[in-house]
Amino acid sequence: MIGVSAQCPALYAYYAVAMSLPREIVKFAVGTVNRPISRYRFSRALASASYPYKIEIGAYRTKRAGWIDTDISWRTRHYMDATKDWPVPTSSVSHVYADNVIEHLRMGPNRRLFREAHRVLAPGGRIRLATPDVEYLVDRYMKGDDETRNLIEISNRKNYEAYHPVDLLRVAFQECGHHVGYLWDYQSLRDELRLAGFTNICRFEPGQSDEPELRALETRQDFALVVEAKVVKSPTPQWATRQATSESAR
């Protein structure tokens, strides 16, 4: 820091002030500046990406080859609020993925996310969602068996306070901001995806899929509910034009 102070007093002063501020204030200030920049980066990523696009929602720091990672965090590279209108052309996306996102949202925002995902997905496109499986956790709580005790140990290793089977439910419903969101079992998620227009809805084990592009994506596999759904709709003229252009470029 002495070298920085001598070579660039203004930078040192800014750093000293920033470090003295509460972390949330710093995040808010940086996020305010970063948001328009990261929105622009997202539009440029779409312009330069191969068609059809693959979009990950709530990616945080995750980067996958061939995917456009989006988030709303204060330092995200590609900003997109998936609960609002997506700045993405209709029927231009082949895959949408969200890992541990929908449990942080209330039902209304989730429904908007599902509708927008259905809109931007091309005919035959897929969405894959991973979220805590409430049905599985309730079953573990009721049985109190060796698998239950193993989950308690896993929770403690991840720094969640867990002593008894009931803590599996408490952690799922209270920790990590889940208390403000909506938690899911397979039936509720299936029904909401149907309501948004999706078909061919099915569940997979974490990391598994009959679609190669959607395999080995989950990093948090314990008690995960993983669901995929497909879009079946008539091609739009824009989709047909983009598809023909994409095929001729190969």
Side-chain angles (χ1 to χ4, degrees):
M1 288 303 299
I2 295 176
V4 173
S5 176
Q7 296 173 19
C8 187
L11 178 60
Y12 175 77
Y14 176 82
Y15 179 86
V17 171
M19 291 303 98
S20 68
L21 294 174
R23 180 174 173 79
E24 291 305 314
I25 296 178
V26 174
K27 288 167 65 175
F28 175 80
V30 174
T32 300
V33 174
N34 181 58
R35 196 164 298 124
I37 298 172
S38 54
R39 281 196 176 109
Y40 174 75
R41 287 201 200 102
F42 179 55
S43 67
R44 296 305 304 158
L46 284 176
S48 61
S50 299
Y51 173 85
Y53 313 123
K54 293 180 288 186
I55 295 178
E56 181 167 359
I57 301 165
Y60 192 46
R61 299 180 185 178
T62 303
K63 293 183 179 180
R64 307 180 196 276
W67 289 75
I68 302 175
D69 53 290
T70 71
D71 206 292
I72 59 170
S73 71
W74 60 285
R75 55 181 175 181
T76 183
R77 181 168 179 79
H78 302 127
Y79 183 94
M80 186 184 78
D81 186 345
T83 68
K84 299 179 180 178
D85 292 345
W86 297 15
V88 179
T90 298
S91 299
S92 64
V93 177
S94 60
H95 300 84
V96 171
Y97 178 60
D99 185 1
N100 281 259
V101 172
I102 58 176
E103 68 272 14
H104 296 276
L105 307 173
R106 303 296 292 177
M107 182 61 81
N110 268 311
R111 285 176 170 171
R112 289 193 291 274
L113 186 158
F114 298 156
R115 288 196 300 267
E116 278 297 282
H118 186 274
R119 177 185 69 79
V120 304
L121 280 164
R126 288 205 199 186
I127 186 172
R128 182 179 175 97
L129 303 167
T131 189
D133 188 346
V134 170
E135 183 179 7
Y136 171 74
L137 290 171
V138 169
D139 185 57
R140 296 276 62 81
Y141 164 69
M142 296 296 294
K143 289 181 177 177
D145 54 12
D146 288 342
E147 191 171 349
T148 303
R149 287 184 283 274
N150 182 53
L151 283 177
I152 292 174
E153 292 178 5
I154 291 172
S155 296
N156 278 301
R157 287 200 298 270
K158 294 182 176 180
N159 296 319
Y160 297 118
E161 194 175 18
Y163 306 102
H164 308 286
V166 71
D167 287 313
L168 297 178
L169 301 179
R170 183 191 57 75
V171 168
F173 281 94
Q174 292 185 351
E175 299 286 355
C176 302
H178 294 176
H179 64 288
V180 299
Y182 190 97
L183 267 73
W184 302 85
D185 59 8
Y186 174 69
Q187 179 181 344
S188 59
L189 186 51
R190 178 200 64 196
D191 291 349
E192 289 297 325
L193 288 170
R194 281 179 179 168
L195 186 65
F198 287 94
T199 61
N200 300 88
I201 302 165
C202 57
R203 64 189 303 171
F204 289 92
E205 291 298 315
Q208 298 181 15
S209 175
D210 59 3
E211 171 65 51
E213 296 286 352
L214 297 176
R215 294 174 188 160
L217 297 181
E218 286 75 41
T219 57
R220 291 167 284 186
Q221 299 191 0
D222 304 309
F223 53 83
L225 169 65
V226 180
V227 175
E228 289 186 19
K230 196 172 182 179
V231 168
V232 177
K233 60 185 178 183
S234 299
T236 63
Q238 295 86 349
W239 176 85
T241 300
R242 282 193 295 265
Q243 188 74 4
T245 302
S246 176
E247 290 177 355
S248 64
R250 292 173 185 171

